């Protein structure tokens, strides 16, 4: 076993700009700076704990593999900076980092958005949580698709044979959830799904239990389906299994809608 050789730097204030400096594999504790420019500084694999960097311009800095715990970066920008494999915990940092500093690879982008989502949840920043979730879901979709469909060397090496089939079904399941309710993030998609089911149920009711050649019957079925769905009416012509199916859709629909509401309130 070999010690990492990480040097601890604590209770230090940077009072001047930095350029082409090397702070690789350091451990910053209660370290800070204000209104300065850090250009091409190497912070890779450095831990930041209880640090304060206000209104700092981090230009083309390397934060690869860094961990930020209970830090404050209010007003700071990270132009061209690298955050591959970075981890954030209870850290105040602008959500603009999600727009400008996401890793280029989808699997790293997914992990980056996820750690920031958890971080924003811990400090109660609901708006940034929603932003991180959107990026996380998009990166997940692209990553799962490339895992079974990409011809790149990375994905062909990592996912072979049966693993590619497994990733296909994971991608398909993700796409179905995205269509039905936006993976728990879109009440509009859930309402759209409900409307499609409404139309399908109306067609079934007209074709099998009314006159399919009558436009009035289509309209009558369309108006009647909500009362059937809510259990207010139970037509005698419906079989028990069909009524059970409608009841199952009602319970699932209410459960999904309740889940979305609870998620939204939990972020506040």
């Amino acid at each position: 076993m070999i010690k990492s050789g990480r040097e601890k730097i604590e209770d230090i204030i940077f009072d001047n700009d930095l350029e082409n400096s090397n702070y690789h594999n350091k451990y910053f504790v209660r370290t800070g700076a204000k209104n300065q420019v850090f250009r091409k500084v190497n912070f890779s694999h450095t831990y930041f704990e209880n640090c304060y960097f206000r209104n700092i311009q981090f230009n083309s800095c390397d934060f690869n593999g860094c961990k930020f715990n209970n830090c404050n970066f209010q007003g700071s920008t990270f132009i061209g900076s690298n955050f591959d494999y970075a981890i954030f915990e209870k850290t105040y940092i602008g959500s603009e980092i999600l727009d400008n500093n996401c890793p280029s690879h989808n699997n790293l982008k997914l992990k980056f958005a996820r750690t920031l989502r958890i971080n924003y949840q811990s400090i109660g920043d609901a708006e940034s949580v929603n932003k991180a979730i959107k990026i996380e879901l998009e990166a997940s979709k692209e990553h799962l698709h490339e895992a079974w469909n990409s011809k790149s060397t990375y994905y062909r090496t990592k996912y072979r044979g049966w693993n590619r089939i497994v990733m296909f079904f994971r991608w398909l399941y993700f796409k179905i959830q995205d269509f039905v309710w936006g993976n728990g993030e879109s009440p509009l998609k859930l309402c759209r799904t409900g409307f499609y089911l409404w139309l399908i149920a109306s067609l079934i009711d007209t074709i099998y239990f009314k006159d399919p050649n009558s436009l009035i019957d289509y309209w009558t079925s369309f108006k009647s389906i909500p009362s059937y769905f809510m259990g207010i009416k139970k037509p005698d012509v419906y079989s028990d299994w069909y009524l059970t199916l409608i009841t199952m859709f009602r319970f699932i629909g209410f459960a999904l809608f309740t889940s979305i509401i609870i998620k939204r309130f939990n972020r506040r």
Side-chain angles (χ1 to χ4, degrees):
M1 298 177 65
I2 302 175
K3 290 186 177 181
S4 65
R6 179 172 286 123
E7 178 187 358
K8 186 176 183 180
I9 301 175
E10 58 183 326
D11 298 318
I12 295 295
I13 300 296
F14 291 100
D15 57 359
N16 59 298
D17 295 344
L18 296 177
E19 185 168 359
N20 295 316
S21 301
N22 186 8
Y23 289 96
H24 168 73
N25 199 35
K26 305 298 182 184
Y27 180 24
F28 287 123
V29 180
R30 295 183 300 277
T31 300
K34 186 176 181 181
N35 301 322
Q36 290 164 345
V37 177
F38 291 177
R39 187 185 306 274
K40 295 183 179 179
V41 180
N42 181 13
F43 292 109
S44 60
H45 299 96
T46 290
Y47 281 22
F48 296 81
E49 185 172 345
N50 298 314
C51 294
Y52 182 82
F53 292 92
R54 184 177 179 84
N55 297 327
I56 303 297
Q57 184 184 113
F58 294 95
N59 195 326
S60 303
C61 294
D62 187 2
F63 293 98
N64 177 38
C66 287
K67 182 175 182 179
F68 305 90
N69 182 26
N70 198 28
C71 296
N72 193 325
F73 288 90
Q74 287 187 349
S76 296
T77 57
F78 304 90
I79 303 170
S81 294
N82 172 34
F83 283 91
D84 290 1
Y85 303 102
I87 298 175
F88 299 85
E89 295 180 357
K90 298 180 180 179
T91 293
Y92 289 86
I93 190 166
S95 63
E96 294 80 10
I97 192 174
L98 289 163
D99 298 321
N100 306 317
N101 300 99
C102 284
S104 56
H105 297 292
N106 289 321
N107 58 331
L108 298 183
K109 184 177 181 180
L110 166 62
K111 294 176 181 177
F112 181 69
R114 181 172 294 163
T115 186
L116 279 171
R117 180 206 9 121
I118 296 172
N119 174 73
Y120 289 135
Q121 284 177 331
S122 68
I123 62 176
D125 188 347
E127 184 176 350
S128 296
V129 169
N130 292 334
K131 187 175 182 179
I133 285 176
K134 290 180 181 178
I135 295 175
E136 181 183 350
L137 290 175
E138 185 63 29
S140 296
K141 180 175 68 175
E142 293 174 359
H143 171 63
L144 291 172
H145 182 262
E146 291 185 355
W148 70 269
N149 190 54
S150 176
K151 296 181 180 180
S152 68
T153 303
Y154 171 80
Y155 284 105
R156 281 189 172 273
T157 302
K158 187 172 182 179
Y159 302 103
R160 299 178 179 178
W162 177 252
N163 286 331
R164 292 176 73 86
I165 298 175
V166 171
M167 295 306 293
F168 168 77
F169 283 105
R170 287 183 61 184
W171 170 79
L172 183 62
Y173 178 68
F174 184 95
K175 290 286 290 183
I176 292 173
Q177 286 213 86
D178 181 55
F179 176 83
V180 172
W181 66 322
N183 287 282
E185 297 299 323
S186 177
L188 289 178
K189 286 188 176 181
L190 183 59
C191 290
R192 181 194 63 186
T193 301
F195 182 73
Y196 288 159
L197 291 175
W198 186 359
L199 290 178
I200 293 171
S202 299
L203 291 175
I204 292 174
D205 183 69
T206 305
I207 293 172
Y208 289 98
F209 304 108
K210 292 183 175 68
D211 182 6
N213 296 317
S214 173
L215 292 177
I216 295 178
D217 282 356
Y218 283 102
W219 175 242
T220 301
S221 295
F222 184 79
K223 293 189 298 180
S224 301
I225 289 301
S227 61
Y228 301 162
F229 178 80
M230 298 299 295
I232 299 173
K233 295 181 180 179
K234 295 181 179 180
D236 295 334
V237 293
Y238 282 9
S239 63
D240 290 342
W241 74 265
Y242 190 57
L243 289 172
T244 301
L245 185 64
I246 292 176
T247 303
M248 287 177 58
F249 276 118
R250 178 169 75 244
F251 288 159
I252 292 173
F254 283 133
L256 295 180
F257 182 75
T258 303
S259 179
I260 291 177
I261 297 299
I262 291 175
K263 283 184 179 180
R264 292 298 174 92
F265 276 107
N266 278 345
R267 293 173 197 162
R268 287 161 172 77

